[in-house]
Every structure is written in C-alpha cells, then in structure tokens.
Amino acid sequence: MSLRSGMDTACELNFKVVGSPLGSIELSACRCGLHGIKLLGQNAPEDHPCVVQRPPEELPEPLACCAAWLETYFQTPAAIGTVPVPELHHPVFQTDSFARRVLWKLLQAVQVGEAVSYQQLAALVGRPKASRAVGNVMKNNPVPILIPCHRVVGSGGKLGGYSSGLAVKQWLLAHEKGAGPHQGTRTDATPTRAGHQEAPTQAEYMKSG
Ligand SMILES: [Zn+2]
C-alpha cells in the first residue's frame, strides 16, 4: 500500500451497505479512509428502531469505524463526541480548498443539537459573503450525517435544502434535539463554538491515524 495521499493516488474503494432508521446507507472507503456516505433510502424516515445493522463480515477499518460511528449516532446521539471519527479520504479532503475548509469547520464547530445558518458558516471560515458557495459545498458533501450539513439552515428559521430531502433533514435535527438533556446540548439554533480558534487543523486531524 502506498502511503502517498495525493489526489493522483488511486484509491481502491470498498463499499458496504448498512441499515439505519433512515433506510439503507452505503459507505465507501479505501484503506486510507472514508470516501462517502450515501443515503439510499427513497422513503421518508419512519419510526424504525434506532439501530444500525452492520453486515456480519469483518469490515476494513475505515468502514468499521464509520459503521460504529453511525450506530452511536442513531442510538445515543448525545454520546457521539466520545466515538472516533473515521479518517476521511475523499478527494475533497486531500487538498486545501474552500470546500475542505467549510466541511472541516462544520465538523469541528457545530455539534449535535446545534445549528448554523449558511452565512454563519461562511463567516466561520472567514468568508462572510460566501453563503451561496457554502450552500454548494453542502450540496456536494460526500459524507452527510458525519459532516453535519443537516445542521446548516437558512436564516430566519428556514430549513434550507438537503440532498436527501427535507424530511430527512428534519428527522436528523429532531433526533438530535432529543439528545439534548442527556449531555446539556444546546437546543437553540445558535453557533456556540463560533469563537473557538484553538481547534486542530485538518492536517493535525488527518495524521492521527
Ligand atoms: Zn482514498
């Protein structure tokens, strides 16, 4: 296995489908990390038990890590901060770009039960006028749920868009609000981490594996 992580390195992808309250979710990863989370369900979410059904066979590490992360997220979202986040290796994470800064900031700064507006997220990466560009990044987020683009909403209480449909976005936000009391998660829609500057850079994060 090559240890080079440049975009020219061909990644051999493994795919796994896990069950979830939102229907089937397809995970893809190379040996270096996760490439994608894709919600395959066409139906609006129902009252399924919050269980992630993992395939019985042993999964490669990034897939196993992501399945475990999803399992905790759906079962006890309040505890999600205690679960390791899989390494990310989709090409968007391999070189510096506006998209990567936005996705990375969102993952770091907007926790379970919180929400930010597109404009607030743009401001968090130092581009307060780039809310439309932030919307585009959200639309192309390769790892939804894990990088919580559902927590990015329109200003003035509008829900904004969601690639898997607004019913899913609403379900996720409601699911997380239910988590609030267990860990003191804020349930109002304000970015509470906006002032944090000491969060690790993606490079620091990426080498931790
Ligand atoms: Zn890869």
Side-chain angles (χ1 to χ4, degrees), residues 1-12 30-33 89 94:
M1 175 177 72
S2 168
L3 291 176
R4 289 189 307 139
S5 63
M7 285 181 68
D8 56 335
T9 306
C11 294
E12 207 175 298
C30 70
R31 297 163 71 111
C32 297
H89 205 250
Q94 295 184 35

Side-chain angles (χ1 to χ4, degrees), residues 10 16 27 30-31 42 46 80 83 86 92 97 110-111 114 118 120 122 131 136 168-170 186:
K16 281 296 165 206
L27 314 178
C30 70
R31 297 163 71 111
Q42 301 296 316
E46 294 168 27
I80 199 64
V83 175
V92 75
S97 67
V110 187
Q111 303 300 314
E114 300 176 346
Y118 296 92
Q120 284 169 323
S131 55
N136 272 327
V168 171
K169 189 171 188 173
Q170 262 165 334
R186 300 176 58 121

